């Protein structure tokens, strides 16, 4: 599967509509025992949420990444779980959500690239500098796969479990909400 996920919202953090474009090759055997390959393409242009299991017992890491670093809002229907530090959390980002249940026991890594649009990188860079300075909200991210890199005008972020995010800046993220579909940059190690 080759997948691309783009989220959109109308907040400071803009998450485009989720776009997953898997391409699969299927092999079928005909009545005369010949194998035929068929390529199937499917494009989903809008989804409500993305479900990604996090590592069981690591909700502090989950909170540090999705809420403290990305700036997602805590869905009030899961606030009790947020306070208790266990079970599923929902991270709201505009009209869309990340559903973040505990894995059994390991984390799930999305096989694709999740693209987020932000109106400004400065808040993310401030948070990343706070992480580098060892500020308390970001301590759980230490000794995980969390990392950030800049390539041209893209911020490439790896979450604590290896999920890949491409964060783009937009002067008008509401108007740009579908502009990147089909024009995503190809990043080394990612077939899009």
């Amino acid at each position: 599967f080759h997948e691309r996920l783009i989220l959109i919202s109308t907040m400071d953090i803009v998450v485009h509509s989720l776009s997953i474009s898997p391409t699969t090759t299927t092999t079928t055997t005909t009545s005369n025992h010949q194998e035929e390959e068929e390529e199937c393409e499917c494009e989903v242009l809008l989804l409500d949420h993305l479900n990604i299991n996090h590592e069981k017992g690591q909700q502090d890491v989950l909170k540090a990444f999705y809420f403290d670093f990305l700036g997602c809002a805590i869905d009030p229907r899961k606030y009790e779980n947020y306070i208790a530090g266990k079970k599923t959390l929902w991270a709201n980002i505009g009209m869309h959500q990340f559903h973040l249940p505990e894995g059994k026991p390991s984390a799930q890594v999305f096989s694709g690239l999740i693209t987020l649009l932000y109106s400004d990188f400065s808040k993310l860079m401030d948070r990343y500098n706070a992480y580098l300075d060892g500020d308390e909200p970001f301590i759980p991210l230490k000794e995980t796969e969390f990392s950030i890199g800049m390539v041209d005008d893209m911020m490439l972020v790896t979450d604590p479990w290896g999920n890949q995010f491409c964060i783009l800046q937009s002067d008008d993220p509401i108007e740009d909400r579908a502009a990147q579909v089909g024009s995503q940059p190809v990043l080394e190690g990612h077939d899009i």
Side-chain angles (χ1 to χ4, degrees):
F1 284 90
H2 302 290
E3 301 167 343
R4 178 179 352 161
L5 176 63
I6 301 172
L7 302 168
I8 298 182
S9 87
T10 56
M11 300 173 32
D12 182 38
I13 304 169
V14 177
V15 189
H16 268 63
S17 58
L18 296 157
S19 173
I20 303 173
S21 302
T23 302
T24 61
T25 302
T26 57
T27 303
T28 56
T29 305
T30 62
S31 59
N32 61 2
H33 302 300
Q34 290 179 309
E35 289 188 357
E36 295 178 7
E37 286 192 4
E38 181 179 321
E39 192 172 282
C40 303
E41 285 198 33
C42 172
E43 190 167 325
V44 178
L45 296 179
L46 179 64
L47 293 176
D48 176 65
H49 68 273
L50 175 63
N51 191 86
I52 303 176
N53 297 342
H54 68 281
E55 187 176 356
K56 188 171 186 167
Q58 297 291 309
Q59 206 171 64
D60 58 334
V61 176
L62 176 90
K63 290 176 183 179
F65 180 73
Y66 284 94
F67 301 105
D68 296 328
F69 178 71
L70 288 181
C72 295
I74 302 159
D75 189 289
R77 296 169 289 180
K78 298 295 181 182
Y79 187 73
E80 184 176 303
N81 294 352
Y82 181 85
I83 296 300
K86 58 184 178 180
K87 297 186 179 179
T88 299
L89 291 179
W90 292 347
N92 293 344
I93 193 152
M95 303 182 324
H96 305 285
Q97 293 180 322
F98 290 105
H99 286 194
L100 305 163
E102 289 183 330
K104 308 232 184 269
S106 60
Q108 176 183 21
V109 178
F110 179 73
S111 177
L113 185 64
I114 304 166
T115 300
L116 306 174
L117 287 185
Y118 280 60
S119 59
D120 185 4
F121 281 161
S122 65
K123 290 180 184 177
L124 283 174
M125 290 308 297
D126 289 346
R127 293 179 196 139
Y128 186 62
N129 287 328
Y131 159 78
L132 293 175
D133 291 342
D135 286 8
E136 189 170 338
F138 303 105
I139 289 173
L141 297 175
K142 298 288 184 183
E143 298 184 33
T144 70
E145 292 186 42
F146 175 66
S147 66
I148 291 183
M150 294 295 291
V151 176
D152 298 322
D153 57 351
M154 300 178 294
M155 181 182 289
L156 303 177
V157 179
T158 301
D159 86 354
W161 298 280
N163 291 296
Q164 301 292 310
F165 292 78
C166 173
I167 301 178
L168 302 172
Q169 186 168 302
S170 172
D171 292 338
D172 192 354
I174 294 169
E175 287 303 313
D176 290 345
R177 64 180 161 240
Q180 276 70 34
V181 174
S183 64
Q184 289 294 310
V186 176
L187 304 176
E188 188 173 324
H190 292 279
D191 293 324
I192 299 181

